[in-house]
Amino acid sequence: MKIMISVGEASGDLHGASVAAALKLLEPNIELFGMGGKAMRDAGVTVNYDIAGLGVIGFVEVVKNLGKLFALRDNLAALMDQERPDVLVIIDYPDFNLRLAKIAKAKGIPVVSYISPSAWAWRRGRAKDVAGLVDKLAAIFPFEAEVYREAGANVTFVGHPLVDIVKPSLSKEEAYRFFNVRPGQPVVLLMPGSREQEVSSLLPVMLEACRQVAGQLPDCRIFLPVASTISREMLQNMIDGYTMDVTLTSEHTYDLMGIADVAIASSGTATLETSLMGVPTVIIYKMAALTYLLGKLLVKIPNIGLPNIVAGRRIVPELLQGEANPGTIAAETLVLLTDQTVREKVLADLAEVKEKLGQTGAVHRVAEVILEVAQARR
């Protein structure tokens, strides 16, 4: 049995790796290949096209990279002809992956969508487009399942995969020792995203905000986990412009979250990871002005941060565009670090988010859905 998987960024690579591991447990002789990154490769997937440096976001940015994306799409279409997979699994990266799904459908290859387009947030009409392209949709949120079911999709609610993935491997005492942190020492975690474009936009304001925080709390430690899609050299070059210590790390990220007091994170999957680990988070985001204006017209929900969307209310700060400036970020970070009443309320709200994301076993359920679709074709 052959399964082709397509992801386009670091978070999708993580999900793809988890699905690959679950598929191999159920079908040890399965062949897995497609587009991914280091995590999928480590999980036994043949990565024909590596996603490093691929991620682009927003209308303006996508237009600038159309030639590259078209060539990649054509190469993956040729890979389908060569390998004839029993099913194509598309994970996130919606604008690209839905075009790939259309190609697969034309070739008679069934498609499973996992981490599907956020039609519940914007472009609800896209839910019908997805329903017409995929044979099965594995929904990770209850409200997502409802929207797609109403659009006519064949939906299975599997729960959120991060519940399976996000867990420490070390005790807190071991984590303190591993990261050379003294218990009680303030720890700030920087998560500027998995795309070069995001990092270039967000990391400088994060670093300047941390310099201001360190001015108030000189004992604080600052850590930056390195995404597999981002060059460590690029990050270090940006950090070198600031007169403070920032520790780059690529190991034990969830253990690091387990001892972090606050995170400053780009809006996206990382904010659910910090929620599951109980880390109060300042969510920030910047994009091209035209992309932001278009988004304001299309997005019909009051919050963009996933923890706030899941909670149904604003539980952690969201700073967008001009609000994502060093002074405001530093102020929000200091409140979460020093105001115990605020911290306790946020921690209680994050525990509620964790409960709403469901029980463990989501990844196993996704693998079962994929195999069911693949076997039905045989």
Side-chain angles (χ1 to χ4, degrees):
M1 183 180 295
K2 293 184 176 183
I3 309 291
M4 180 173 176
I5 303 174
S6 175
V7 312
E9 50 199 338
S11 59
D13 186 38
L14 180 68
H15 293 306
S18 297
V19 170
L23 285 167
K24 283 185 170 290
L25 283 175
L26 293 171
E27 289 285 342
N29 296 322
I30 201 167
E31 293 182 46
L32 304 171
F33 64 94
M35 181 167 75
K38 181 179 184 301
M40 283 172 54
R41 187 179 291 109
D42 290 346
V45 180
T46 299
V47 176
N48 304 87
Y49 296 94
D50 197 294
I51 63 172
L54 175 63
V56 291
I57 51 176
F59 175 78
V60 174
E61 297 81 11
V62 168
V63 168
K64 291 178 181 177
N65 287 272
L66 278 178
K68 180 180 179 181
L69 293 171
F70 284 153
L72 182 59
R73 179 201 60 189
D74 292 344
N75 288 336
L76 289 170
L79 184 63
M80 288 183 208
D81 290 332
Q82 177 184 326
E83 298 292 342
R84 297 306 300 175
D86 294 291
V87 63
L88 167 67
V89 180
I90 56 173
I91 301 177
D92 206 358
Y93 210 55
D95 291 322
F96 180 89
N97 271 336
L98 288 179
R99 287 173 173 81
L100 198 64
K102 188 173 183 179
I103 292 170
K105 186 177 178 67
K107 296 178 181 297
I109 299 168
V111 180
V112 173
S113 177
Y114 177 49
I115 320 294
S116 303
S118 304
W120 40 269
W122 69 303
R123 289 170 64 185
R124 286 214 169 200
R126 185 162 58 165
K128 289 188 177 180
D129 296 335
V130 175
L133 288 174
V134 307
D135 296 80
K136 192 80 170 182
L137 189 143
I140 61 175
F141 297 111
F143 49 83
E144 174 192 33
E146 182 181 342
V147 167
Y148 276 109
R149 202 169 281 122
E150 288 176 357
N154 184 0
V155 180
T156 296
F157 173 63
V158 295
H160 205 288
L162 287 181
V163 176
D164 290 293
I165 298 168
V166 179
K167 55 188 70 172
S169 60
L170 304 175
S171 69
K172 280 205 170 188
E173 291 73 18
E174 290 170 330
Y176 280 125
R177 286 197 298 271
F178 183 86
F179 290 104
N180 195 27
V181 172
R182 186 181 69 256
Q185 191 173 16
V187 174
V188 179
L189 193 60
L190 302 184
M191 306 188 77
S194 61
R195 307 175 180 99
E196 289 186 3
Q197 178 188 331
E198 285 179 316
V199 174
S200 297
S201 172
L202 299 179
L203 185 55
V205 293
M206 288 182 174
L207 291 168
E208 180 55 38
C210 283
R211 183 152 59 183
Q212 295 180 27
V213 170
Q216 299 292 317
L217 301 171
D219 195 31
C220 76
R221 293 287 306 279
I222 303 162
F223 290 88
L224 199 168
V226 181
S228 63
T229 49
I230 299 298
S231 159
R232 196 181 187 97
E233 182 181 6
M234 171 190 172
L235 295 174
Q236 191 61 59
N237 286 340
M238 296 178 75
I239 291 167
D240 286 344
Y242 294 81
T243 54
M244 61 183 175
D245 290 329
V246 178
T247 303
L248 296 178
T249 177
S250 54
E251 296 181 274
H252 293 289
T253 299
Y254 297 136
D255 297 299
L256 178 58
M257 288 183 187
I259 61 171
D261 295 288
V262 67
I264 306 171
S266 167
S267 180
T269 303
T271 63
L272 279 186
E273 294 176 309
T274 56
S275 295
L276 286 166
M277 289 301 299
V279 186
T281 301
V282 179
I283 299 173
I284 72 172
Y285 211 71
K286 289 187 174 189
M287 60 192 78
L290 177 58
T291 301
Y292 179 71
L293 290 173
L294 288 172
K296 289 273 285 184
L297 293 172
L298 294 170
V299 175
K300 303 302 181 186
I301 54 176
N303 298 305
I304 69 155
L306 286 170
N308 295 330
I309 293 170
V310 174
R313 62 188 188 280
R314 181 72 61 89
I315 64 171
V316 294
E318 292 183 7
L319 302 175
L320 309 181
Q321 299 298 92
E323 290 183 336
N325 63 74
T328 307
I329 296 168
E332 295 284 6
T333 302
L334 283 166
V335 168
L336 292 173
L337 283 170
T338 61
D339 190 321
Q340 195 59 30
T341 301
V342 172
R343 278 191 66 81
E344 288 177 2
K345 177 66 168 65
V346 171
L347 290 172
D349 289 337
L350 292 178
E352 179 187 326
V353 169
K354 183 174 182 177
E355 185 177 349
K356 285 187 174 182
L357 291 175
Q359 302 299 310
T360 58
V363 175
H364 179 81
R365 290 187 285 274
V366 173
E368 289 181 327
V369 166
I370 293 168
L371 290 176
E372 178 186 335
V373 172
Q375 287 163 353
R377 184 173 184 259
R378 293 196 153 201

